[in-house]
Amino acid sequence: MIFKKIIVTFLVLCAVTAFAQENLIVNTQNRKQVSLNGTWHYIIDPYETGFYDYRYKEKGEKDAEAYWNNPEPNGKTDRKEHGYNNDYSIQVPGDWNSQDDVFKYYEGTVWYQREFDKPKLDENERIFLYFGAVNYEAHVYLNGKKLGMHKGGFTPFNFEISPGMLKDKGNFLVVKVDNKRYADEVPTLNTDWWNYGGITRDVKLIITPQNFIQQYAIHLKQSQDIEKSLKRKRFNISGYFKLNTTAAEEKITIEIPEIGFKENVDIRDSEGSFDLEAKKLELWSPENPKLYKVMFTLGEHTLTDKIGFRKVEVSGKDVLLNGKEIFMRGISIHEEIAPEIRRAKNSADADKLFGWAKDLNVNMVRLAHYPHNEYMTRAADSLGLLVWSEIPVYWTIDFKNDEVLEKAKKQLDEMIIRDQNKASVIIWSVGNETPVSEARTKFMKSLVMHAKEKDDTRLISAALEVGYNRGRNYIDDPLGEYTDIVSVNEYLGWYGDLPHAKVKSKWETAYDKPLFFSETGAGAKGGFHADKETRWSEEFQEWYFEETLKMMENMPENFTGLSPWILVDFRSPKRNNPKYQEGWNRKGLIDDKGNKKKAFFTLKKYYEKKEEEYKKR
Ligand code: GCB
């Protein structure tokens, strides 16, 4: 009994002091919930008047003019200098930029507000407020009390609402959202994409039992010899549970009904980790994206998920999936719906983007340059698309700053925790085109090691740069020593020289590891036709891809695939050619209206050929 009490106190203490990512609740789709999506009110506040007083000090909690407090005037003599009403409404989820012209180029603070009634709770149920993502900094207040703060524009977070905080009706919820860019944040000041602000992903109340499974991982044990397991039809399955409890729990039951699997995990002995054996599993792959219903029961409560089982590994120069060499026929994607000039945010958007990708005959997507919403990785799981998922450590991050490293690690953790049960995700990328220096390599190595420590069931990579040197492209970035595959962005023929230069171009790496082109591409304005040497014409882009594909025929043996840049044209404030770009990066194979450019079909044909070639192996 005394032992039990100690555990209880310890766990409660942990819950209070833990970092945000340790409190993150996963698999929110399959938990009891109330959506807080829909119409909210807003105040645009470029001077942060609702947050700072006139001496620029943070306002006191009860300050009547703090924007987290309900501003209803107290009778006709009362002076109130802010307020929320229906004339200032905004939809959640959604970036603000696309919702009204006043927001189009806005970077700064916007206050979001809505009310909600207390949901019906069963005895001992707990309640959490969950955000899929808010770009970039969110301060969250409920009924005038601060619940917490979160930084990072593309990863989820949640706060517990204690029962005493909720009224039966009209709970006043306010979020201060700030998307200003800073040199010491992740990403930093400079990116080649649009800085969409707002509550960009779903918001919901998650209702849990008193004791519940907060996070878990379940996967094929990485160390098993997968060919042997396939022959024996017996697989080692391992993983862990992280509970959020106020009482000591003893066991969790894991069930996979379709194969008659039912095992108990004693969580006292194992500290939550498990190592079990399953029979008759069909493995997940792009050709057969098999997902199983998996059930986890703690006490009287069962949480279900849909999970695929697969093993990805590097063997010498190859990437193996379930023991077989694969070639990644990829495409890079930004989280944007171009025709509507907005962030993608729901499953219809995921279907649209992946519908285009599938039409290109890809088996892999690089979700650049930040973790995309969870509809994307769920859809990738069921469609059989291999995923590269990345944190926005992009270009000129402040590599000498330890706090920036911590911010990057936090985003890495949140990305891994959310998606560690998605079979589709095979690569965690810790960054893109970071300029080589001692400080940068130390920083990036630390991220690679951190990712490996958190998850040994995926490959770790980062998109590197290459120095072109008279036809010899030698990749010796020191970071390549630590990543599992060596990935580079290559633009020969677009940034330097013309596409025909590619044929003579030779590729070598200093590392005996698989080589992947994480980008290659050229700009073209959809519908603009000219001879192939005319920049911005569809014909130029088509020529670029033809030459790129010819170059592919002479790649070294370790060449393992590519994810060209990019599926669809995307908004970027850096792209200001007034005739051809007009604020768009035009390297899409599909234009901003949704029309396929000529190069789309060039790549598609190549991918069809590659698919056939690998089928015969
Ligand atoms: C790159 C970057 C990507 C850019 C692209 C371009 O190498 O990784 O974010 O958008 O080039 O279009 O230049």
Side-chain angles (χ1 to χ4, degrees):
M1 197 58 205
I2 289 174
F3 175 62
K4 268 199 178 173
K5 264 197 191 138
I6 292 170
I7 289 190
V8 174
T9 326
F10 173 66
L11 288 172
V12 171
L13 207 73
C14 278
V16 177
T17 54
F19 296 107
Q21 63 270 33
E22 288 177 10
N23 292 328
L24 189 62
I25 299 176
V26 302
N27 185 13
T28 61
Q29 287 84 341
N30 293 306
R31 298 183 191 253
K32 187 170 167 186
Q33 60 196 276
V34 176
S35 171
L36 295 182
N37 290 347
T39 305
W40 291 50
H41 303 125
Y42 72 85
I43 299 173
I44 305 179
D45 186 17
Y47 290 7
E48 298 181 274
T49 305
F51 194 78
Y52 296 111
D53 67 16
Y54 80 126
R55 298 298 184 217
Y56 217 63
K57 293 222 167 64
E58 191 171 336
K59 286 185 168 166
E61 200 170 68
K62 296 218 156 47
D63 188 323
E65 287 292 1
Y67 288 10
W68 53 83
N69 282 320
N70 193 337
E72 281 307 303
N74 226 340
K76 69 178 185 185
T77 59
D78 196 16
R79 177 180 57 83
K80 281 281 153 58
E81 299 208 32
H82 76 287
Y84 296 101
N85 76 31
N86 291 343
D87 293 339
Y88 296 87
S89 293
I90 190 161
Q91 292 305 309
V92 170
D95 62 83
W96 61 52
N97 312 68
S98 60
Q99 297 201 40
D100 193 300
D101 262 359
V102 299
F103 289 118
K104 191 167 173 190
Y105 290 94
Y106 184 68
E107 293 185 300
T109 283
V110 174
W111 295 82
Y112 281 66
Q113 181 272 344
R114 68 164 287 161
E115 293 188 8
F116 68 89
D117 296 341
K118 183 177 176 177
K120 283 202 179 66
L121 298 179
D122 294 340
E123 206 188 333
N124 286 331
E125 273 182 332
R126 297 164 67 182
I127 184 158
F128 294 81
L129 176 60
Y130 177 91
F131 293 84
V134 175
N135 190 31
Y136 174 82
E137 182 173 323
H139 294 251
V140 182
Y141 304 87
L142 182 64
N143 296 329
K145 290 240 171 315
K146 191 161 188 171
L147 287 178
M149 192 272 262
H150 179 267
K151 280 187 183 189
F154 303 97
T155 44
F157 56 97
N158 48 253
F159 303 113
E160 181 157 18
I161 301 175
S162 60
M165 280 186 90
L166 280 182
K167 302 186 285 187
D168 283 344
K169 297 253 169 257
N171 290 287
F172 196 79
L173 175 61
V174 174
V175 187
K176 176 186 187 289
V177 183
D178 189 354
N179 74 334
K180 280 198 292 296
R181 289 167 291 122
Y182 293 99
D184 61 349
E185 294 296 337
V186 182
T188 176
L189 295 167
N190 193 19
T191 64
D192 187 20
W193 71 79
W194 202 264
N195 181 25
Y196 288 106
I199 304 181
T200 49
R201 297 184 188 161
D202 293 340
V203 184
K204 47 195 169 183
L205 299 171
I206 306 285
I207 298 160
T208 71
Q210 187 70 30
N211 302 324
F212 68 99
I213 303 168
Q214 185 170 283
Q215 299 168 4
Y216 54 90
I218 179 165
H219 46 71
L220 291 185
K221 189 173 178 179
Q222 190 65 18
S223 59
Q224 74 198 290
D225 178 333
I226 197 69
E227 281 178 26
K228 269 196 197 145
S229 306
L230 280 160
K231 262 193 214 125
R232 289 184 354 220
K233 296 202 173 76
R234 286 215 306 267
F235 301 88
N236 298 102
I237 292 196
S238 58
Y240 77 89
F241 292 106
K242 184 173 188 304
L243 307 187
N244 189 324
T245 60
T246 52
E249 291 287 346
E250 289 172 9
K251 68 160 197 198
I252 293 174
T253 307
I254 310 175
E255 284 171 87
I256 310 175
E258 198 180 323
I259 55 163
F261 177 92
K262 185 171 181 178
E263 295 282 351
N264 292 328
V265 176
D266 186 324
I267 38 191
R268 285 168 314 178
D269 294 352
S270 62
E271 292 179 340
S273 62
F274 59 88
D275 203 335
L276 302 164
E277 198 177 78
K279 291 185 188 130
K280 293 184 288 188
L281 265 186
E282 237 177 80
L283 299 190
W284 183 99
S285 70
E287 295 73 37
N288 179 30
K290 173 73 190 165
L291 299 177
Y292 288 96
K293 179 179 174 187
V294 182
M295 298 157 74
F296 307 102
T297 304
L298 174 71
E300 288 162 9
H301 300 276
T302 299
L303 178 66
T304 62
D305 204 346
K306 275 172 108 181
I307 293 177
F309 296 89
R310 54 97 187 108
K311 179 174 177 185
V312 63
E313 67 196 307
V314 163
S315 167
K317 296 177 193 312
D318 300 324
V319 174
L320 308 184
L321 182 73
N322 303 331
K324 271 196 20 246
E325 186 192 339
I326 55 166
F327 184 83
M328 290 182 268
R329 310 186 311 268
I331 189 70
S332 299
I333 303 181
H334 262 298
E335 191 192 43
E336 190 177 66
I337 297 296
E340 295 167 39
I341 317 185
R342 62 167 175 83
R343 275 252 172 269
K345 59 182 180 185
N346 53 31
S347 70
D349 292 345
D351 289 347
K352 183 166 193 112
L353 291 169
F354 287 160
W356 279 326
K358 278 273 182 186
D359 194 8
L360 190 62
N361 201 32
V362 305
N363 62 1
M364 185 262 181
V365 287
R366 177 183 179 206
L367 302 182
H369 284 297
Y370 37 76
H372 287 209
N373 66 69
E374 203 175 345
Y375 293 105
M376 294 288 277
T377 47
R378 289 253 175 214
D381 257 13
S382 46
L383 290 170
L385 288 167
L386 303 164
V387 171
W388 161 307
S389 182
E390 183 161 297
I391 49 168
V393 171
Y394 184 92
W395 291 352
T396 53
I397 293 285
D398 185 356
F399 295 109
K400 292 193 172 131
N401 185 333
D402 287 344
E403 283 173 27
V404 174
L405 179 59
E406 284 316 304
K407 289 172 192 173
K409 277 188 184 160
K410 184 172 155 286
Q411 294 190 32
L412 184 58
D413 283 345
E414 289 166 347
M415 170 173 80
I416 292 175
I417 290 167
R418 192 196 76 182
D419 276 348
Q420 63 192 333
N421 291 308
K422 312 287 195 299
S424 56
V425 181
I426 58 159
I427 298 168
W428 299 127
S429 162
V430 296
N432 180 75
E433 291 187 350
T434 51
V436 178
S437 76
E438 216 174 287
R440 163 276 193 182
T441 302
K442 194 168 159 238
F443 184 106
M444 298 302 284
K445 180 186 168 190
S446 168
L447 291 178
V448 170
M449 295 308 168
H450 188 75
K452 285 185 183 228
E453 191 188 310
K454 294 278 159 179
D455 183 2
D456 70 346
T457 67
R458 292 178 172 83
L459 313 180
I460 312 300
S461 198
L464 308 177
E465 290 179 309
V466 56
Y468 304 109
N469 188 6
R470 289 205 205 105
R472 183 175 182 248
N473 308 310
Y474 188 58
I475 306 150
D476 59 355
D477 183 325
L479 189 59
E481 195 180 327
Y482 307 108
T483 56
D484 294 315
I485 62 173
V486 175
S487 307
V488 283
N489 296 347
E490 88 78 28
Y491 283 94
L492 185 62
W494 177 255
Y495 294 125
D497 225 323
L498 287 173
H500 57 67
K502 298 193 102 144
V503 180
K504 288 177 266 142
S505 172
K506 290 264 172 303
W507 289 84
E508 286 163 72
T509 48
Y511 308 103
D512 195 23
K513 297 178 180 185
L515 167 66
F516 180 75
F517 282 158
S518 30
E519 292 179 26
T520 181
K525 170 125 192 218
F528 171 51
H529 296 285
D531 63 278
K532 71 178 187 188
E533 286 183 7
T534 304
R535 286 257 172 189
W536 307 112
S537 70
E538 286 198 31
E539 286 69 17
F540 186 103
Q541 192 191 36
E542 183 186 35
W543 179 36
Y544 177 96
F545 271 88
E546 282 166 0
E547 297 299 319
T548 305
L549 301 177
K550 275 187 219 158
M551 183 180 82
M552 301 290 175
E553 300 306 319
N554 291 315
M555 292 303 287
E557 243 182 77
N558 60 341
F559 186 56
T560 190
L562 65 158
S563 58
W565 197 251
I566 187 171
L567 184 64
V568 195
D569 288 355
F570 61 97
R571 295 285 290 160
S572 169
K574 296 177 80 68
R575 305 295 176 171
N576 294 315
N577 179 312
K579 202 164 168 197
Y580 301 112
Q581 293 180 306
E582 300 170 280
W584 291 87
N585 184 314
R586 295 289 185 199
K587 296 190 189 71
L589 297 176
I590 295 175
D591 73 12
D592 57 306
K593 306 278 180 302
N595 301 314
K596 290 170 183 139
K597 302 180 196 171
K598 292 181 101 174
F600 182 98
F601 301 97
T602 314
L603 185 63
K604 181 178 161 97
K605 222 160 105 193
Y606 172 72
Y607 279 167
E608 282 166 355
K609 199 180 92 196
K610 273 283 165 201
E611 187 184 13
E612 284 311 309
E613 192 185 310
Y614 271 75
K615 257 190 209 156
K616 285 186 206 130
R617 287 186 178 211

